[in-house]
Amino acid sequence: DAGITQSPRHKVTETGTPVTLRCHQTENHRYMYWYRQDPGHGLRLIHYSYGVKDTDKGEVSDGYSVSRSKTEDFLLTLESATSSQTSVYFCAISDSLAGGITGELFFGEGSRLTVL
Amino acid sequence: GIQVEQSPPDLILQEGANSTLRCNFSDSVNNLQWFHQNPWGQLINLFYIPSGTKQNGRLSATTVATERYSLLYISSSQTTDSGVYFCAVTNYQLIWGAGTKLIIKP
């Protein structure tokens, strides 16, 4: 199994508070991703990183920021959590192949966030 | 952009049955992956299969890139096979199908 650890695994917080989710990998993969999964929407990409300090937005990036100061860590921050951000958040990693093609994707176990 | 369609959307089978799940995609892709999300929410990588056939125990997958489809075969189903099966294709951006929800009854 790919070495991906998400923390915290469960969090309950109140509207307006900041929240940071952490993803840690031991695989030295180049790409790291944050997805959210909600009923009826499947997996939606929030942000991704293609290297240290190199990040880009996904399809649902509003209200989220990310940082990657080390290869192994990718942080997702909700500056001021809202109830619409209640979701299950998945971190994923992949390596890059020749021609810039994304390699095999591996997921962490997920972090369940509830915003009251 | 590329469209990914999975069928059937839902499938209910008795333990021991075989099943075939299909993933159609609308344009050429660089790779394709199959995932299983179990009832506890874990997303497990099953196959990385841009073309050809791979087998892993009771599961096998075939991708015919020229005809833009992939098939996931599950033989002798067990209750632990229940969950949602996703395919995802990449053409520099990962695009997900909506999934097939599989329920295996004992």
Side-chain angles (χ1 to χ4, degrees):
Chain A
D1 289 344
I4 309 168
T5 306
Q6 291 185 228
S7 59
R9 295 287 315 283
H10 301 272
K11 186 171 182 66
V12 179
T13 191
E14 295 190 347
T15 298
T17 60
V19 175
T20 296
L21 305 180
R22 179 182 184 237
C23 179
H24 178 78
Q25 62 148 327
T26 58
E27 306 296 319
N28 200 34
H29 281 0
R30 178 182 177 188
Y31 292 93
M32 298 186 75
Y33 310 82
W34 277 107
Y35 285 91
R36 62 178 288 175
Q37 188 176 35
D38 306 288
H41 288 279
L43 282 153
R44 294 184 290 174
L45 182 65
I46 305 171
H47 281 280
Y48 67 99
S49 169
Y50 47 98
V52 173
K53 297 187 179 179
D54 292 323
T55 65
D56 207 348
K57 296 179 179 180
E59 61 181 301
V60 290
S61 60
D62 287 349
Y64 302 94
S65 62
V66 290
S67 65
R68 192 171 178 196
S69 59
K70 298 184 290 185
T71 298
E72 57 266 34
D73 289 327
F74 192 34
L75 303 181
L76 176 70
T77 297
L78 291 64
E79 300 289 348
S80 179
T82 67
S83 58
S84 65
Q85 293 175 312
T86 293
S87 187
V88 179
Y89 292 85
F90 287 96
C91 173
I93 65 172
S94 69
D95 215 342
S96 60
L97 305 177
I101 298 170
T102 305
E104 215 167 343
L105 197 70
F106 298 95
F107 282 89
E109 295 191 333
S111 296
R112 183 174 295 274
L113 176 67
T114 302
V115 184
L116 302 176
Chain B
I2 296 174
Q3 304 297 315
V4 180
E5 293 183 357
Q6 292 188 241
S7 60
D10 299 280
L11 188 58
I12 302 174
L13 298 171
Q14 290 295 133
E15 199 168 26
N18 301 327
S19 58
T20 300
L21 283 57
R22 188 177 180 102
C23 175
N24 292 334
F25 43 96
S26 61
D27 204 346
S28 300
V29 296
N30 292 317
N31 68 50
L32 183 146
Q33 292 185 248
W34 284 97
F35 297 90
H36 174 215
Q37 187 165 35
N38 65 25
W40 296 271
Q42 285 182 298
L43 275 159
I44 299 161
N45 187 325
L46 296 177
F47 294 103
Y48 177 83
I49 184 166
S51 64
T53 297
K54 291 186 178 180
Q55 181 152 10
N56 184 3
R58 296 181 295 103
L59 274 61
S60 65
T62 295
T63 297
V64 183
T66 54
E67 297 187 21
R68 299 178 185 166
Y69 72 89
S70 183
L71 302 174
L72 178 68
Y73 305 96
I74 305 173
S75 63
S76 305
S77 298
Q78 300 176 358
T79 56
T80 52
D81 295 329
S82 296
V84 182
Y85 290 81
F86 293 101
C87 76
V89 303
T90 301
N91 200 20
Y92 302 103
Q93 192 171 15
L94 200 64
I95 300 167
W96 293 80
T100 292
K101 184 175 182 179
L102 176 64
I103 297 173
I104 305 298
K105 293 187 171 183

